[in-house]
Amino acid sequence: MPRDISRRALGARLTGLLILTGASAAMAASPVCAQNAASPTDLKAARDAPLFRTSFERAQKSIAPYLKTRPDVPAPKDAGGGYTHERHKDNYRIIREGGMLYAVTGDRAYLELVRDVLLAYADLYPKLSLHPVEAAPQKGRLFWQSLNDAVWLVEAIQGYAEVRDALPEKVRKRIDGDVFRGMCDFSMVHCAGTFERIHNHATWAVAGVGMTGYVLGEPTYVKAALQGLRGDGKTGFLRQLDELFSPDGYYTEGPYYQRYALSPFEIFAAFIDRHEPSRKIFEYRDGILIKAVYGLINLSYGGRFFPLNDAIVEKGIDSPELVQALAIVYGRNRDPQLLSVSTAQGSVAFSREGAVVAAAIAAGKSQPFVYASRLFRDGARGDEGALAVLRAGSGKRKQALVFKATAQGMGHGHFDRLSYIFYDSGSEVLTDYGAARFLNVEAKQGGRYLPENETWAKQTVCHNTLVVDGRSQFDAKVQVAQPAPTQFLGFAEKDGIQFASARLDKAWDGVTVWRAVMLYTPKGSNRPIVIDLVRARSTSAHRYDLPFHYRGVFLDSSTRFTPQSGTLKPMGRANGYQHLWEKAAADVPAGPQSLSWFLTGRFYTLHYDAPQVSKAYLTQLGANDPSDSLRPERAMILRADGQIDFNSACVLEAYGEYDSAEESARDTRTTIHNVRLFQSGHADLIRITGLDLQVTAIGIQWGDAAESRVTAEGRAWIWHGAFGIAA
Amino acid sequence: MPRDISRRALGARLTGLLILTGASAAMAASPVCAQNAASPTDLKAARDAPLFRTSFERAQKSIAPYLKTRPDVPAPKDAGGGYTHERHKDNYRIIREGGMLYAVTGDRAYLELVRDVLLAYADLYPKLSLHPVEAAPQKGRLFWQSLNDAVWLVEAIQGYAEVRDALPEKVRKRIDGDVFRGMCDFSMVHCAGTFERIHNHATWAVAGVGMTGYVLGEPTYVKAALQGLRGDGKTGFLRQLDELFSPDGYYTEGPYYQRYALSPFEIFAAFIDRHEPSRKIFEYRDGILIKAVYGLINLSYGGRFFPLNDAIVEKGIDSPELVQALAIVYGRNRDPQLLSVSTAQGSVAFSREGAVVAAAIAAGKSQPFVYASRLFRDGARGDEGALAVLRAGSGKRKQALVFKATAQGMGHGHFDRLSYIFYDSGSEVLTDYGAARFLNVEAKQGGRYLPENETWAKQTVCHNTLVVDGRSQFDAKVQVAQPAPTQFLGFAEKDGIQFASARLDKAWDGVTVWRAVMLYTPKGSNRPIVIDLVRARSTSAHRYDLPFHYRGVFLDSSTRFTPQSGTLKPMGRANGYQHLWEKAAADVPAGPQSLSWFLTGRFYTLHYDAPQVSKAYLTQLGANDPSDSLRPERAMILRADGQIDFNSACVLEAYGEYDSAEESARDTRTTIHNVRLFQSGHADLIRITGLDLQVTAIGIQWGDAAESRVTAEGRAWIWHGAFGIAA
């Protein structure tokens, strides 16, 4: 395995996946087991597996009331949230869970429930024209938008599949024709525009039709779903698999939306695999359906997804979509590492595959999931930048650094390229705000994105990345940003240094920004440190701001901050600055500086040397926030004013142990005396001096020199390649 | 059991413990078991109990390095935190744990370690005069203050007790004389002033001497420890037991310091009980030593102590002091409810009693601890006010309301009488800031109390209680506040209402304040609500502020808040107001009002009717905080200006369920339409109208009328007694 990075690679092309261990190895191989889902006998046995029993009993309890009443299948009338809307959503759940309950128990009451609900739809559906509410661009028949109709079909067909064989011919024909064929026709004919898109909404459409095709034995449906209405493969499921995920299983909108987009892919694939195992759908495109699930698991820390782009920060691996997808994948590859993820999820899917997972966990087959450093290239061909995940440490001291150098991520993307998040000891330490949204909280803009999502959360200053002239990348215009990928430079490991770097052009006229981030674990040490280099080059003078959004309580700094105690003013008027209160300001003299903070049991010191920086600010979020919606988070912003170039070298050290029960604090001082940046042409040298006066020097070569040399205070330092320990 | 409260009781005297269930019943009885600590055989058996094994192995691991080195017993030189200070602290731990390790394993290496360390002290101690550092009022010999010397003795004698019988006569004599007798003499003669105090520092002194008396067979030591140096019982341990806890086992400084004060009491008592069981020390003063431990457990929610007065908010039942004390009490009363508390603590004491606890847990004897509503009277005679703890709900929806109507609590007390904390669903919802201190965090004032502890945390406006004229109670002067107890009025339950009330005089000249708090669970409902009445009477005009420090995100209000977006200003210049940023202000019109917020999965609406209030403010903590130490917490403050009297009726409803994994929100609207206050003389009527227009009316009689009548909008409401549902 290559552990260095060639000059060529650094200069121009992606290095791809250099670190392949544990889980990722399993991904690539994805051996598909013949017996991939629970048989009826298995299902009854699995009822004794505690996790499946819980899911089973939850479904039983939620379906119980409907066993006593007549189906409620009203004529569509209401928009989202209204009575008929919620009713039809409940009904697809009743059909799906009712079908599974019949499969698990053999109790005909469930069979009859599913039958009666579907017969009520058979009465209603053929009479329906388009939904009366004028709102969505693509109307449905049951729902105000056709996406919901497609979801109805995907959910309901799963339940119908479990009962259809047990129904009399006549009933079966009625439901087949008046419900499912009617819906497929609607999707393929009336909603053909959606059906033929390369977009995750179209995935719901093709999944519903394709799954129905398998259940009803209608190969034309299957073909249309897999290869598009024209059958030429330019649209349809396989093309979506080609286009909607990167070769590494990354979905461009980021993990929060990856979780959502994943569902119809995995559910449909499970059906394909069950009915046409010879298609080896889980091996398609080098196992992309499996990679996407492992990718999503890997895009998390402490059970929560990295809050990139428009993300609800609480969202994590326990999302129902991932619970279901994990079971589908486990049904194929039997990777024991997935079982520990399932245990962390806290529940298993109430599905045939969920039963298999629960039984395997109960049989003690679980193994720890290995979260390793990973590169996720972005874009269908993997050439639109990348997300680099560097991990170090272990147990409660595990760390992760998430470096975002991806494409824009469409409308939900944030203008945050070259930013990074840093996790340590279970907490997000350098943070990403995620989305400004209180999902489903009616009083907060009806649960939709808040205005502050545009004015704050998406803006560049909201992230740990350079801001030029107080303006966001691409002036926060998605149509400008979308076609401009980030140039990912390198991802490699050498000398105990995990390294990732990227370059951003055109985010501002005439300014190019480079950044390299590293996790460095010195030999014999168990204390990794973050190393972070930012370099901007221009031909005219600019204001450069480098924010560090840190979580915790300010402790100390080398610069002397003057607090604004009389009154607080916002840091600016636009582009996110209007939301930041300026709490304190400091002059930053030349030379090495530091800032320390404290967060539940750990201490952090950011050492920095940024030659052009003359000012530092402490800010708190919350200005111009009329509905008091923003979290009062803290940041430090380093500012260089009227400078042509910008350079910074930062080292972040996490240390110490604070036990509030024992009232003990240990190891409460940084071991680093200072950090200095020295430059020569395209070469940067970071010299780290310990309290013990030991010096470590790390060099970066941004150009293509094979050997780099930088002189620092009379001593020459030399290294080879794109980065490495200098001697 | 009386369920009402007489007019007399409300007027003048404490009602005492009206609610006695589960744990509290166990307290009163405290049957002492004959076999109260693990015998040597038990000890070896207990090594298999997982919790004890963990404690044992931790001790083993921490002592292991010392088995290989010579004892390090340096001549005392350094102040707290310095080398010799930390060394002598380590040494007492080595002696205690080494002794226990010998008892558990029988391994002579531990015996020899304890012997050698003690012999080194025998060489050193007789030569010592007073500690060289000039700092503490009462110098020690090993340490800079005699309190540390006393702690050394309490800890070391426990270890010595485990090995003494196995040592040769000659060694024993040497250690007895040159270490322990010398230390006892120092404590009783040189430090007689401390020894004779009625103060928790003196408890350490008497405990060390008394325990040594038992181990060495020296009854004069025991007598001095129990009954004071003059032997007349006016000082000494028993007198301390009489004076330092209230009859309900409450320690006046509050739970954070109760935890600390408890240690020497329980440790010494365990020794007394072991050597003189006929003293029945655990039955002394109606079982005060047992009440103090149950009290401390009850003064918690979700495992954390109520953060009253100078409290570190993280501190909870897993504190080592309570771990040890719980084991001592379990050793006496074998209450299976204590075992579940021990499990929640996560570890057992490495002591004979800890072994008994672990074995009982392993044997499956544990039962859930019943946290019931409880009254804790304050003051040695229980006549200096009280802390009322009202609990309702169960499981994850459990609630607690903590009403503080105690005495001042000495130097660590806050000026917060008649304030309350409210917990719901695992979170503190209406909060108490606790202490402004980062314990042991060197960069924050060396880990000591911050200046903001005086300027913010102790001030009245920092708490959920009325502030008059922008000044704190008793002008924040402890010497004025200490002699003025709060007048506790009533604690009772009737009509589904749990009720507590109190009256505060003299906190401000010419102003008397009353407050009643209730947790009301309507019949057939599982949704308790908080009801809160404040009433102030004066003869001249004042400004009244009523703060609600709420945790969560602002959602909505009936009043229209105008945000201060341009600049933020502090709410005032002194008494805590200087730390509050005024974020928004609203005019409050006459009539019922409301404010809603949202906190991880739950919704809260505060309905209020406060006739004199004309303004409301939203504030955020953090102004005039040069070291950025204060947490940015939110509050709403209701203000009545230029008013002779103040009245408010509030109802706080908690509701809803938000599941971020499922992205579902249920039950997201308050069921209360509005709340109105009607008054007539000494009678207050709160009329609560539901969204269903059902009306509940609750009446309070502050005077002594047997029957109360209030007319509200043409309808008369009548109730009997101090409070109740009005009809």
Side-chain angles (χ1 to χ4, degrees), chain A residues 315 440 583 620 628 663, chain B residues 439-440 583 620 628 663:
Chain A
K315 208 75 183 178
N440 288 326
K583 282 211 303 194
Q620 186 164 299
D628 205 9
E663 300 201 339
Chain B
L439 189 66
N440 288 327
K583 283 210 302 192
Q620 187 165 299
D628 204 10
E663 302 201 338

Side-chain angles (χ1 to χ4, degrees), chain A residues 52-133:
Chain A
F52 190 73
R53 170 160 289 278
T54 303
S55 299
F56 163 64
E57 287 171 353
R58 192 184 302 134
Q60 235 182 355
K61 198 174 153 196
S62 98
I63 294 302
Y66 300 103
L67 292 172
K68 297 177 201 143
T69 57
R70 293 293 314 149
D72 182 3
V73 178
K77 191 165 75 67
D78 302 327
Y83 179 75
T84 70
H85 182 94
E86 294 302 318
R87 204 63 248 143
H88 290 296
K89 280 175 69 180
D90 259 6
N91 283 338
Y92 67 57
R93 194 178 52 77
I94 293 168
I95 296 166
R96 177 171 52 77
E97 295 192 345
M100 264 308 286
L101 285 167
Y102 174 67
V104 174
T105 63
D107 182 342
R108 289 189 59 87
Y110 296 117
L111 173 77
E112 287 158 15
L113 172 67
V114 174
R115 179 198 65 195
D116 291 349
V117 174
L118 285 171
L119 284 174
Y121 275 96
D123 289 340
L124 175 76
Y125 195 78
K127 298 180 210 150
L128 294 180
S129 53
L130 288 182
H131 194 279
V133 169

Side-chain angles (χ1 to χ4, degrees), chain B residues 442-562:
Chain B
E442 185 61 30
K444 289 291 193 190
Q445 300 273 334
R448 294 182 296 277
Y449 288 100
L450 302 177
E452 290 77 15
N453 196 56
E454 296 296 322
T455 61
W456 167 249
K458 282 187 174 177
Q459 300 292 332
T460 303
V461 74
C462 169
H463 303 85
N464 302 310
T465 191
L466 195 69
V467 185
V468 180
D469 297 327
R471 289 159 49 210
S472 286
Q473 297 170 0
F474 306 100
D475 276 328
K477 289 180 180 148
V478 67
Q479 65 277 24
V480 180
Q482 189 59 37
T486 311
Q487 193 179 346
F488 195 81
L489 299 176
F491 179 70
E493 182 172 352
K494 181 172 96 170
D495 299 346
I497 304 167
Q498 297 187 57
F499 173 91
S501 72
R503 164 184 174 150
L504 179 62
D505 297 289
K506 298 183 190 156
W508 300 273
D509 276 349
V511 180
T512 294
V513 187
W514 292 258
R515 189 172 212 165
V517 293
M518 290 162 260
L519 268 184
Y520 170 49
T521 311
K523 235 178 224 147
S525 156
N526 58 357
R527 184 188 275 197
I529 57 175
V530 175
I531 303 172
D532 161 27
L533 268 175
V534 178
R535 161 187 276 244
R537 292 292 177 268
S538 182
T539 49
S540 53
H542 297 279
R543 166 179 286 185
Y544 293 99
D545 284 345
L546 184 62
F548 295 88
H549 297 272
Y550 69 93
R551 187 155 292 160
V553 174
F554 173 85
L555 282 184
D556 210 351
S557 66
S558 62
T559 56
R560 195 190 170 109
F561 280 100
T562 306

Side-chain angles (χ1 to χ4, degrees), chain A residues 58 256 259 312 314-315 318-321 438-444 550 553-556 561 563-570 581 583 598 603 618 620-632 634 658 660-665 668-669, chain B residues 58 256 259 312 314-315 318-321 438-444 550 553-556 561 563-570 581 583 598 603 618 620-632 634 658 660-665 668-669:
Chain A
R58 192 184 302 134
Y256 177 75
R259 158 203 63 83
I312 303 296
E314 291 86 8
K315 208 75 183 178
D318 59 345
S319 303
E321 297 92 343
F438 294 92
L439 188 67
N440 288 326
V441 176
E442 186 60 31
K444 288 292 192 190
Y550 69 93
V553 175
F554 173 86
L555 282 183
D556 210 352
F561 281 100
Q564 309 293 324
S565 290
T567 59
L568 278 194
K569 276 180 287 199
W581 294 116
K583 282 211 303 194
F598 170 69
F603 298 84
L618 297 180
Q620 186 164 299
L621 184 59
N624 288 293
D625 176 20
S627 303
D628 205 9
S629 297
L630 295 171
R631 302 191 296 267
R634 289 170 158 113
Y658 182 84
S660 60
E662 298 281 349
E663 300 201 339
S664 69
T668 63
R669 288 175 192 282
Chain B
R58 192 185 303 135
Y256 177 76
R259 160 204 61 85
I312 303 297
E314 291 86 7
K315 207 76 183 176
D318 58 345
S319 303
E321 297 92 343
F438 294 92
L439 189 66
N440 288 327
V441 177
E442 185 61 30
K444 289 291 193 190
Y550 69 93
V553 174
F554 173 85
L555 282 184
D556 210 351
F561 280 100
Q564 310 291 324
S565 289
T567 59
L568 277 194
K569 277 179 285 195
W581 295 116
K583 283 210 302 192
F598 170 69
F603 299 85
L618 297 180
Q620 187 165 299
L621 186 59
N624 287 293
D625 176 20
S627 304
D628 204 10
S629 298
L630 295 171
R631 301 191 296 268
R634 289 169 158 115
Y658 181 84
S660 60
E662 299 281 349
E663 302 201 338
S664 69
T668 63
R669 288 175 191 282

Side-chain angles (χ1 to χ4, degrees), chain B residues 110-276:
Chain B
Y110 295 117
L111 172 77
E112 286 159 16
L113 172 66
V114 174
R115 178 198 66 197
D116 291 348
V117 173
L118 284 171
L119 283 174
Y121 276 95
D123 287 341
L124 174 76
Y125 195 78
K127 299 179 209 150
L128 295 180
S129 52
L130 289 182
H131 195 278
V133 169
E134 296 289 342
Q138 177 73 66
K139 281 186 177 192
R141 287 170 83 177
L142 291 174
F143 298 94
W144 62 332
Q145 52 179 349
S146 66
L147 173 63
N148 296 112
D149 283 55
V151 173
W152 194 101
L153 184 54
V154 169
E155 296 288 309
I157 193 66
Q158 294 176 66
Y160 187 48
E162 298 291 349
V163 302
R164 186 171 178 273
D165 287 350
L167 293 175
E169 172 79 15
K170 206 176 131 192
V171 174
R172 210 190 301 160
K173 276 206 160 155
R174 182 94 209 285
I175 295 172
D176 283 2
D178 288 346
V179 182
F180 289 101
R181 285 182 185 274
M183 290 195 168
C184 289
D185 288 349
F186 178 70
S187 188
M188 290 187 288
V189 179
H190 194 92
C191 306
T194 298
F195 194 93
E196 295 283 89
R197 289 181 70 190
I198 304 299
H199 184 279
N200 70 77
H201 286 188
T203 312
W204 287 102
V206 302
V209 169
M211 290 162 76
T212 304
Y214 283 120
V215 174
L216 270 54
E218 180 57 84
T220 58
Y221 289 179
V222 174
K223 192 175 177 203
L226 292 173
Q227 300 185 281
L229 294 175
R230 290 182 305 269
D232 58 7
K234 289 185 180 163
T235 60
F237 187 66
L238 298 176
R239 188 58 180 263
Q240 292 169 11
L241 279 174
D242 292 338
E243 298 285 336
L244 290 178
F245 292 97
S246 85
D248 299 326
Y250 181 75
Y251 177 67
T252 191
E253 292 185 302
Y256 177 76
Y257 277 97
Q258 177 152 349
R259 160 204 61 85
Y260 179 73
L262 204 61
S263 263
F265 277 106
E266 302 293 337
I267 296 169
F268 185 21
F271 256 62
I272 297 171
D273 195 45
R274 196 174 301 159
H275 292 274
E276 285 192 87

Side-chain angles (χ1 to χ4, degrees), chain A residues 486-505:
Chain A
T486 311
Q487 193 178 348
F488 196 80
L489 299 176
F491 179 70
E493 182 172 353
K494 182 171 95 168
D495 298 347
I497 302 168
Q498 297 185 58
F499 173 90
S501 72
R503 163 186 175 147
L504 179 63
D505 297 289

